[in-house]
Amino acid sequence: MQHNIFTTMRSLKFPEGCKGTQVYAINPTGGEGGGGGCGGKVGEKFLQHLQDLRANSIRTKSSRNSHPPTNQTTRTNVSVESLLPAGSPTVDLMEPHIEPCLKSVDFVESLAAVYKKVEDSSQFEKSERFLEQCAVFKGLCDPKLFRNSLRGARQHAVDVHSKVVLASWLRFERREDELIGLSAMDCCGRNLECPRACLVPGYDPESVNDPCVCSRGELEGGVLMGNGGECSTSDIDEAAGGGGGDDDDCDMSFCIGDDEIRGVRYNVASLSRPFRSMLYGEFKESRREKINFSQNGISAEGMRAAMIFSRTKRLGSFELKIVLELLSLANRFCCEELKSACDAHLASLVCDMEEAMMLIEYGLEEGAYLLVAACLQVILRELPFSMHNPYVMKLFCGSEGRERLASVGHASFLLYYFLSQIAMEEEMKSNNTVMLLERLGECATEDWQKQLAYHQLGVVMLERTEYKDAQKWFEEAVEAGHIYSSVGVARAKYNRGHKYSAYKMMNSLISDHTPVGWMYQERSLYCTGKEKLMDLNTATELDPTLSFPYKCRAVLLVQENKLESAISELNKIIGFKVSPDCLELRAWISIVLEDYEGALRDVRALLTLDPNYMMFYGKKHGDQLVELLRPLVQQYSQADCWMQLYDRWSSVDDIGSLAVVHQMLANDPRKSLLWFRQSLLLLRLNCQKAAMRSLRLARNYSTSDHEKLVYEGWILYDTGHREEALSKAEQSISIQRSFEAFFLKAYALADSSLDPESSKYVIQLLEEALRCPSDGLRKGQALNNLGSVYVDCEKFDLAADCYMSALEIKHTRAHQGLARVYHLKNQRKAAYDEMTKLIEKARNNASAYEKRSEYCDRDMAKSDLSTATQLDPLRTYPYRYRAAVLMDDHKEAEAIRELARVIAFKPDLQLLHLRAAFYDSMGDTSCTLRDCEAALCLDPNHTGTIELYKRARERGNEPEK
């Protein structure tokens, strides 16, 4: 099986294939679990309950030998109330959140439909269709899909307003506001996000990735200067004290107070139809040489500037107040050319919040589209901080503000979609969030827009416990066609005391549609006993990624005093999907078991995912619990922590590694290397939002420019800016040769199919990296990656040497690369044995089981793949393998069902392509087309799917015989 080199070029990514597979954390040792918060009251009954649990449970002890601590702290008495302030968690208080996004009962159909909309839309509609695609992708775990669609929307944007909002949104996705030393108006060097390029109207999708005018140090077309070029010395002289031209040419004058401003009647008349009528029409002014203009709200200086513009059609170096006067005059006398010039000139002056706040009112009053766009751009690029500005929120949140923005063409669904998403992230229950969502609903015109706005209003109202309003908005969303909002209707009814009505509603949903996991999860809330457990199990069977069923079963097991089983239940989901709520529940159970070390590990890990996490239903901050647990466990020095990190890293214990890094950062919070290390772990656990936060902190705490450039490069690479990332790596190397700079450059260059020459260059870069100082953890990864490149070049002996060297410094994952080398040398048994070693060493071994299946017979392969699916149901290769085997055995229907089972909760490109090919071989053209369209929605450039789609369309267009 051949794979692109980029799949293994970074320690934090292990895609499927021969060179490396995604590794997730699972902690099989006892005392580990996770889950939701805690609820209930602490009293005598609960204290007795804890004593009973302790008496009936066997405390789990770690079998792993740890390094002797430098310091030991004797255990202090900590009360149960302080460790568990909310008492025992109950199922009733563990309600799963309703997702605030569009969610379909048939996601594949939704993907196919939005793909066809994009393809069938005109150039002026494409941007809106890509925005709809963004809304569809928002509910997926992969933020790259959302960002790609957002880039597509920006690429095809036509008007300035859309360009400004979309470019600001793309910038926000990188959270550049958190990067110290960067201004909101700093440019990334491409037209895609350039603040100047965004103020240029027009449709040019091919230019968005070109270097922008900022990077070239010039301005184009005079659009932003407002005058088409620089002003001459004579213009400046005339502005200072002259008139509208040579006195010999002047044939009229305007009198303002004691000042007389000379000008050319024809030039002034050319400014607008009203001036033409006044100077050449039936008005008395047409017969006068001197016209009194004192009552028209313009100063003598302003009128002189107007005279100059009437002759030159350009704005000189006028003061700001003069340009504002000209703008007002242009509006009063309908001087479109003058207004456009003033608008563009003023827009070019807006560079920061102070200027934006000062000028936006003028823009709104005078209807200056570009000026308001420029001010809006600064405000949006300052988000989320600008949301704390009362004037900004008054403008955005109120109906009157929306109307004022609409009057100048700057109120749109796109704008309020962006603002409301940030508001929901900042503070879900705030009044500002509600008002922004209300404005979003007012701007909604299409069905999908109404579904989204009304559903999100329902979610927010439910969070605010305003159940009647929540029900109303959810019902509006259902009426607009969003079936998932029925969940919100049922939840609101249940909270209003209509439990049976909620149960009936979910029953109806299950019977009327093809059931999916979230339907059974929701119905489980409204029943008890065996029926509840059956619904929870069905939900997990249909969608094993839902965390609530695991948490609920764990709590039910706790209530039966089966604490070990409760932790095992939580380990199932934490093994492939790490979330703060599951770690929290596992920590709680560990506290009951008096496994304080396990509890502290999980609390530290969850704080890495969410530093502001409030545990036990908001009763205690995670940091407070850490301080309470620390005296109950062994204390380690920073050197001891490094040794622990090596051990956990080599045993593929990512949760344990996260906890150690968190402890090290508590001792040395400004250590950029540790923040970077944390980001690698988080990306490997697929926690991309938290990983990017750690990467930004690594950049902010960097003490050298070359190191800062490397981290900026990783940020750019991970948000889809490969060329910019390469540039950062090269800049870093030019300052100082370092391991990370060479590693970044090698990885970014390898993010494509490499020819032999390119492969040689990547090898050179990795060899340069290995010559630079670094620690064993990173050098092990570099050796592993170098081995992968050698394998691609068919230099198997060199590859084996790299993998052996990596294993010598405890880079356990190198077993997988070495196994591949043995396999390519036809040493199948040695490859199998090598993967067995990885399975034995790694705590997380789903990928190892999957890979080992390639080196054994069919029956053993099926067993390994079954184990891999149990450990990590998100891994797609086992489903594809089983489906292919079924197709080979001519069991087409079973093969389709095998793929449908995983596509229902993971609409993966490869899975959709394979199922489309199966349908194609069966002659089912409509299903082939649907799956191809869904796959192309995920990746419109996937060659195999494009070819299959073309064939299916041609066959579908053939006339029936």
Side-chain angles (χ1 to χ4, degrees):
M1 185 183 300
Q2 295 297 315
H3 296 268
N4 293 336
I5 188 174
F6 77 88
T7 55
T8 53
M9 288 295 297
R10 193 172 172 198
S11 68
L12 49 85
K13 294 182 180 178
F14 291 85
E16 293 178 11
C18 297
K19 301 175 198 170
T21 49
Q22 178 77 27
V23 183
Y24 300 90
I26 184 169
N27 302 309
T29 59
E32 301 178 2
C38 304
K41 297 180 179 179
V42 179
E44 293 181 0
K45 186 176 180 181
F46 174 59
L47 292 173
Q48 183 60 48
H49 176 60
L50 284 181
Q51 295 300 324
D52 292 341
L53 289 177
R54 289 172 179 148
N56 295 323
S57 303
I58 299 174
R59 183 182 170 196
T60 303
K61 296 183 181 289
S62 173
S63 59
R64 185 172 168 275
N65 293 324
S66 59
H67 295 282
T70 303
N71 300 305
Q72 289 196 23
T73 303
T74 56
R75 291 193 172 185
T76 59
N77 293 323
V78 178
S79 68
V80 173
E81 291 90 341
S82 61
L83 287 175
L84 300 173
S88 175
T90 64
V91 173
D92 293 340
L93 296 177
M94 257 186 356
E95 227 174 55
H97 290 291
I98 296 175
E99 295 181 44
C101 57
L102 292 180
K103 196 175 181 75
S104 173
V105 293
D106 190 337
F107 195 63
V108 174
E109 286 286 357
S110 296
L111 290 176
V114 77
Y115 174 77
K116 285 189 287 186
K117 284 184 181 180
V118 170
E119 290 300 301
D120 296 341
S121 59
S122 69
Q123 68 179 45
F124 299 108
E125 299 172 327
K126 274 198 184 301
S127 185
E128 289 187 6
R129 297 287 72 82
F130 274 111
L131 183 64
E132 182 178 356
Q133 194 178 72
C134 286
V136 171
F137 285 151
K138 191 67 175 175
L140 294 180
C141 295
D142 187 357
K144 288 184 179 179
L145 290 171
F146 175 81
R147 285 196 294 264
N148 287 341
S149 292
L150 205 58
R151 274 193 287 272
R154 168 62 186 92
Q155 179 182 3
H156 294 280
V158 179
D159 59 284
V160 167
H161 172 78
S162 297
K163 291 180 179 182
V164 163
V165 179
L166 289 164
S168 301
W169 201 338
L170 281 167
R171 183 183 183 278
F172 179 80
E173 283 296 304
R174 287 202 305 280
R175 299 300 199 275
E176 286 198 357
D177 57 280
E178 295 182 15
L179 297 181
I180 296 171
L182 282 189
S183 163
M185 298 301 285
D186 283 346
C187 179
C188 69
R190 302 282 172 180
N191 283 329
L192 188 74
E193 294 181 36
C194 174
R196 290 180 174 180
C198 289
L199 295 179
V200 179
Y203 183 73
D204 188 7
E206 302 307 316
S207 72
V208 292
N209 291 315
D210 293 344
C212 64
V213 293
C214 301
S215 61
R216 298 199 300 269
E218 62 187 36
L219 291 172
E220 295 181 338
V223 176
L224 298 177
M225 291 300 293
N227 58 5
E230 295 181 4
C231 119
S232 67
T233 305
S234 61
D235 291 337
I236 298 172
D237 292 339
E238 288 184 276
D246 296 335
D247 286 340
D248 292 341
D249 297 328
C250 296
D251 55 2
M252 55 86 64
S253 60
F254 288 103
C255 297
I256 299 175
D258 296 330
D259 292 297
E260 183 178 334
I261 299 95
R262 301 283 290 165
V264 179
R265 185 178 296 267
Y266 174 80
N267 290 339
V268 177
S270 70
L271 288 175
S272 70
R273 186 171 294 177
F275 271 121
R276 188 181 306 118
S277 298
M278 179 178 71
L279 298 176
Y280 286 109
E282 299 300 321
F283 297 94
K284 58 184 179 181
E285 284 83 0
S286 64
R287 295 183 292 276
R288 291 181 177 175
E289 183 180 341
K290 295 183 178 181
I291 299 170
N292 186 351
F293 218 64
S294 298
Q295 303 302 315
N296 285 286
I298 188 166
S299 67
E301 292 82 1
M303 201 63 209
R304 285 193 187 93
M307 288 299 192
I308 293 172
F309 184 85
S310 72
R311 183 174 64 82
T312 65
K313 302 301 180 185
R314 295 184 301 176
L315 292 176
S317 299
F318 302 129
E319 293 181 10
L320 175 61
K321 66 177 183 178
I322 299 298
V323 181
L324 291 172
E325 281 193 65
L326 289 176
L327 178 61
S328 180
L329 176 74
N331 267 328
R332 194 173 297 113
F333 288 90
C334 303
C335 307
E336 293 303 322
E337 189 177 11
L338 176 59
K339 178 178 180 178
S340 177
C342 292
D343 193 8
H345 179 82
L346 290 168
S348 71
L349 302 178
V350 183
C351 297
D352 55 37
M353 275 294 287
E354 184 179 355
E355 291 162 348
M357 291 295 94
M358 179 179 67
L359 291 173
I360 192 168
E361 269 300 317
Y362 287 101
L364 291 169
E365 288 296 326
E366 301 296 344
Y369 178 78
L370 268 184
L371 175 56
V372 174
C375 296
L376 191 63
Q377 179 166 245
V378 172
I379 293 169
L380 295 180
R381 290 171 74 94
E382 288 279 4
L383 286 169
F385 303 116
S386 54
M387 277 193 163
H388 302 294
N389 184 308
Y391 173 81
V392 169
M393 295 320 293
K394 181 181 177 183
L395 178 64
F396 287 147
C397 293
S399 293
E400 182 183 345
R402 186 187 71 83
E403 289 170 5
R404 294 185 73 197
L405 287 169
S407 68
V408 287
H410 286 292
S412 66
F413 181 86
L414 168 62
L415 171 66
Y416 284 101
Y417 186 17
F418 178 30
L419 292 171
S420 61
Q421 297 314 294
I422 296 175
M424 291 174 74
E425 284 185 25
E426 288 287 297
E427 192 177 352
M428 174 79 79
K429 301 178 185 180
S430 73
N431 291 335
N432 284 341
T433 302
V434 173
M435 288 188 285
L436 286 171
L437 286 171
E438 287 173 345
R439 304 294 80 77
L440 181 70
E442 291 167 2
C443 293
T445 54
E446 300 181 46
D447 284 343
W448 75 269
Q449 294 175 346
K450 294 175 183 176
Q451 291 172 20
L452 181 64
Y454 301 155
H455 178 74
Q456 290 188 338
L457 267 167
V459 169
V460 170
M461 291 301 181
L462 196 68
E463 288 288 320
R464 288 161 61 102
T465 67
E466 297 176 26
Y467 301 124
K468 187 175 180 180
D469 286 338
Q471 183 176 333
K472 181 194 79 170
W473 287 116
F474 281 130
E475 286 171 347
E476 292 274 3
V478 172
E479 189 175 339
H482 193 229
I483 295 169
Y484 176 63
S485 293
S486 301
V487 169
V489 178
R491 198 79 67 87
K493 285 185 174 182
Y494 177 75
N495 284 303
R496 296 179 69 195
H498 309 299
K499 183 174 181 178
Y500 182 65
S501 178
Y503 180 82
K504 257 180 78 176
M505 193 165 200
M506 296 316 301
N507 257 348
S508 254
L509 202 60
I510 290 170
S511 60
D512 293 345
H513 302 278
T514 302
V516 286
W518 55 261
M519 295 179 184
Y520 285 95
Q521 172 180 275
E522 191 66 20
R523 194 175 71 174
S524 73
L525 299 178
Y526 314 126
C527 51
T528 57
K530 291 183 178 179
E531 189 178 354
K532 186 184 196 73
L533 205 53
M534 285 174 61
D535 275 354
L536 290 170
N537 292 339
T538 305
T540 298
E541 184 180 343
L542 293 173
D543 185 354
T545 67
L546 296 171
S547 61
F548 174 74
Y550 299 92
K551 290 162 57 181
C552 191
R553 286 190 292 263
V555 171
L556 292 174
L557 287 166
V558 167
Q559 291 173 356
E560 296 174 7
N561 294 347
K562 299 177 180 177
L563 300 186
E564 302 288 351
S565 298
I567 283 182
S568 297
E569 182 65 29
L570 290 168
N571 284 344
K572 291 176 185 175
I573 188 166
I574 292 174
F576 66 89
K577 183 182 177 183
V578 180
S579 61
D581 58 334
C582 289
L583 289 171
E584 177 190 17
L585 185 54
R586 192 168 74 174
W588 179 83
I589 300 173
S590 296
I591 291 172
V592 176
L593 282 167
E594 295 184 5
D595 178 13
Y596 301 122
E597 188 173 347
L600 183 58
R601 174 206 59 217
D602 284 345
V603 178
R604 286 191 183 280
L606 78 83
L607 286 172
T608 302
L609 299 175
D610 183 356
N612 299 314
Y613 194 84
M614 297 295 294
M615 301 186 66
F616 311 131
Y617 299 116
K619 292 184 180 294
K620 189 179 290 295
H621 193 284
D623 284 332
Q624 292 178 291
L625 190 57
V626 167
E627 292 306 310
L628 288 171
L629 289 169
R630 280 182 65 245
L632 304 178
V633 301
Q634 293 174 335
Q635 302 298 301
Y636 294 94
S637 70
Q638 202 78 338
D640 294 327
C641 286
W642 273 111
M643 295 299 293
Q644 285 197 10
L645 182 58
Y646 267 89
D647 286 348
R648 283 163 172 73
W649 192 286
S650 63
S651 63
V652 198
D653 176 11
D654 293 324
I655 298 292
S657 298
L658 272 183
V660 174
V661 172
H662 184 273
Q663 181 179 348
M664 295 170 79
L665 281 168
N667 298 331
D668 191 359
R670 303 185 68 85
K671 188 76 171 177
S672 59
L673 174 65
L674 292 174
W675 287 111
F676 181 57
R677 204 62 95 227
Q678 189 178 84
S679 76
L680 301 180
L681 285 162
L682 289 165
L683 275 177
R684 197 160 64 217
L685 290 167
N686 205 30
C687 303
Q688 296 192 33
K689 184 177 178 181
M692 292 301 292
R693 176 185 172 276
S694 296
L695 201 47
R696 290 191 294 274
L697 286 168
R699 182 265 184 201
N700 287 344
Y701 288 132
S702 297
T703 55
S704 62
D705 289 338
H706 76 273
E707 186 183 23
K708 187 178 296 184
L709 285 164
V710 169
Y711 298 146
E712 287 176 2
W714 281 123
I715 292 170
L716 286 163
Y717 180 83
D718 286 330
T719 51
H721 298 78
R722 176 177 171 271
E723 295 300 325
E724 289 83 352
L726 269 172
S727 176
K728 294 287 185 182
E730 289 163 357
Q731 288 178 53
S732 179
I733 292 169
S734 69
I735 298 172
Q736 181 172 320
R737 298 161 63 86
S738 69
F739 175 93
E740 293 299 347
F742 282 115
F743 194 90
L744 168 61
K745 187 174 181 180
Y747 189 78
L749 280 173
D751 189 6
S752 61
S753 298
L754 292 177
D755 55 38
E757 284 302 313
S758 300
S759 294
K760 286 181 183 177
Y761 186 42
V762 171
I763 288 171
Q764 290 174 12
L765 289 170
L766 287 171
E767 288 175 342
E768 289 291 341
L770 287 165
R771 291 189 190 102
C772 298
S774 186
D775 58 72
L777 297 176
R778 293 298 278 160
K779 292 220 168 182
Q781 183 58 48
L783 285 164
N784 193 69
N785 293 346
L786 183 57
S788 298
V789 185
Y790 279 135
V791 168
D792 285 344
C793 298
E794 298 185 354
K795 297 179 180 179
F796 301 136
D797 290 338
L798 289 173
D801 289 342
C802 288
Y803 292 130
M804 291 289 194
S805 297
L807 287 170
E808 285 176 6
I809 52 178
K810 292 188 176 182
H811 189 78
T812 308
R813 296 175 185 87
H815 282 297
Q816 185 164 304
L818 192 56
R820 185 185 175 207
V821 171
Y822 289 142
H823 176 64
L824 292 170
K825 286 183 171 183
N826 294 318
Q827 299 173 14
R828 196 178 176 91
K829 176 67 166 57
Y832 181 89
D833 291 343
E834 202 64 35
M835 291 311 301
T836 301
K837 293 176 186 176
L838 179 56
I839 289 171
E840 291 169 351
K841 289 182 181 179
R843 292 196 178 192
N844 177 351
N845 47 27
S847 65
Y849 277 108
E850 178 185 299
K851 207 68 199 152
R852 192 176 71 171
S853 70
E854 297 182 21
Y855 311 135
C856 53
D857 59 41
R858 178 183 279 199
D859 288 340
M860 293 179 69
K862 287 171 69 175
S863 174
D864 274 356
L865 290 174
S866 176
T867 302
T869 297
Q870 289 174 12
L871 293 173
D872 183 358
L874 289 173
R875 305 195 69 80
T876 61
Y877 175 75
Y879 301 94
R880 287 186 278 135
Y881 176 88
R882 288 189 289 265
V885 169
L886 290 167
M887 283 297 285
D888 286 344
D889 294 339
H890 303 290
K891 298 177 180 178
E892 290 87 354
E894 291 181 43
I896 294 292
R897 280 199 297 272
E898 178 68 22
L899 291 177
R901 183 160 67 101
V902 61
I903 287 172
F905 61 86
K906 185 178 173 63
D908 175 79
L909 171 66
Q910 297 294 339
L911 293 169
L912 288 165
H913 174 76
L914 184 60
R915 192 170 71 170
F918 285 176
Y919 278 128
D920 186 59
S921 69
M922 295 162 61
D924 190 336
T925 303
S926 63
C927 287
T928 303
L929 290 172
R930 179 204 61 202
D931 281 358
C932 282
E933 287 159 355
L936 290 172
C937 188
L938 298 172
D939 181 2
N941 300 314
H942 190 253
T943 307
T945 305
I946 291 171
E947 293 173 357
L948 180 58
Y949 188 48
K950 285 180 180 176
R951 291 199 305 270
R953 291 185 70 176
E954 289 169 2
R955 189 166 55 253
N957 293 330
E958 291 177 359
E960 295 184 10
K961 297 181 180 179

